[in-house]
Structure formats: structure tokens, C-alpha cells
Amino acid sequence: METTKLLCPSAQPRGKNSVLFGVVGGTDEAPRVEYLKQLVCVSDDSPELTALVEPSEIFRFASPCAGNACEHFDGSKCRLVSKTVKFLAEVVPELPRCQIRCNCRWWQQEGKAACRRCPQVVTIVYNASKQILKVTDPANY
């Protein structure tokens, strides 16, 4: 599947091709995403998703992979998921029920290893551990 068709599961809600696929729960120290049974389409003219916080603080969104326009993309693969698999522990023994898996860049690139770590990934983290900062810093490749 070409890059523009794959979905990035760590995206900001952008335009009509974005979908909401999870809700962030857990704690600040151990966030966990609960996956929705159905995707929610997001568009530029969608009403406000939240009033007091950024939507990406409490929801997980997927949007088409930005490819070379993304600081985590190296021209052929996503370095963010590579580092996620390398440096973060698995947090679930079974694959979560995920509505974007068949089109997910992370699944296509890293398979089950990405899915078993995905529930701990949140887009906006205010009190990130050193480990999370290491994984998400685009300068750390």
C-alpha cells in the first residue's frame, strides 16, 4: 500500500480524512487507549470535540500518513514506530480490537509488536517519562 493510503495512528485531527479511533484513559504515568468499536470521521467543519482541552489529549486520531512531510518519516518507514517497538515494553498480551489495523502504517511496518505497545501511546503528554521523550524526539534517530 502506498504511503498516502496508510494511516498514521499518532496523528492530529486534520481534515476530512481523519478518524477518531480511541479514547485515552489510565493515568498520567500509565495512559491506556480504549479502542472504539466504530470509527468516528472527523472533518474541518466538525463541531468542537472538546471545550477545555486539546482533542489529542483525550482522543487518538488517525490520518493519512504524511510521508516525507513528517519529521518521523525517513523516506520509506516511520521511525516513531520503530523506536516505539525498540524502547517501549508491550502493555497488552493480545492484539487490541482496532478499527484501523488493516490500513495502519504501524501495523504494516512492525506488525504485532506495534499493536502490543500502541495502547500506551498518546499524542499529547505533559509529564512524559525520559523513555517516552527518547522515543518521540525526532532528533533522536
Side-chain angles (χ1 to χ4, degrees):
M1 186 175 275
E2 68 182 74
T3 298
T4 56
K5 302 292 185 197
L6 291 174
L7 294 173
C8 169
S10 185
Q12 296 292 326
R14 307 186 288 259
K16 65 182 180 182
N17 294 318
S18 295
V19 293
L20 187 160
F21 71 97
V23 178
V24 177
T27 65
D28 287 341
E29 295 78 29
R32 293 296 179 268
V33 173
E34 294 292 327
Y35 297 88
L36 301 177
K37 290 180 181 176
Q38 291 188 318
L39 298 177
V40 176
C41 293
V42 179
S43 68
D44 289 333
D45 56 338
S46 289
E48 280 295 315
L49 294 170
T50 59
L52 302 175
V53 296
E54 290 293 321
S56 294
E57 289 180 59
I58 57 175
F59 298 121
R60 280 280 298 278
F61 296 95
S63 292
C65 174
N68 290 325
C70 177
E71 60 193 354
H72 295 289
F73 195 71
D74 73 359
S76 64
K77 64 182 180 177
C78 175
R79 295 178 292 200
L80 179 59
V81 72
S82 296
K83 287 178 21 179
T84 297
V85 167
K86 183 175 181 179
F87 295 114
L88 298 181
E90 292 182 355
V91 293
V92 294
E94 302 292 325
L95 299 186
R97 290 180 175 254
C98 179
Q99 298 300 315
I100 67 164
R101 184 170 292 124
C102 65
N103 293 317
C104 178
R105 160 149 305 279
W106 289 14
W107 167 255
Q108 295 291 325
Q109 183 176 319
E110 300 288 341
K112 293 177 182 179
C115 294
R116 289 189 175 122
R117 289 163 175 84
C118 188
Q120 68 188 309
V121 175
V122 295
T123 307
I124 296 178
V125 180
Y126 293 108
N127 298 315
S129 68
K130 288 181 182 179
Q131 192 75 352
I132 293 292
L133 293 173
K134 180 179 183 178
V135 169
T136 59
D137 182 356
N140 235 355
Y141 292 113

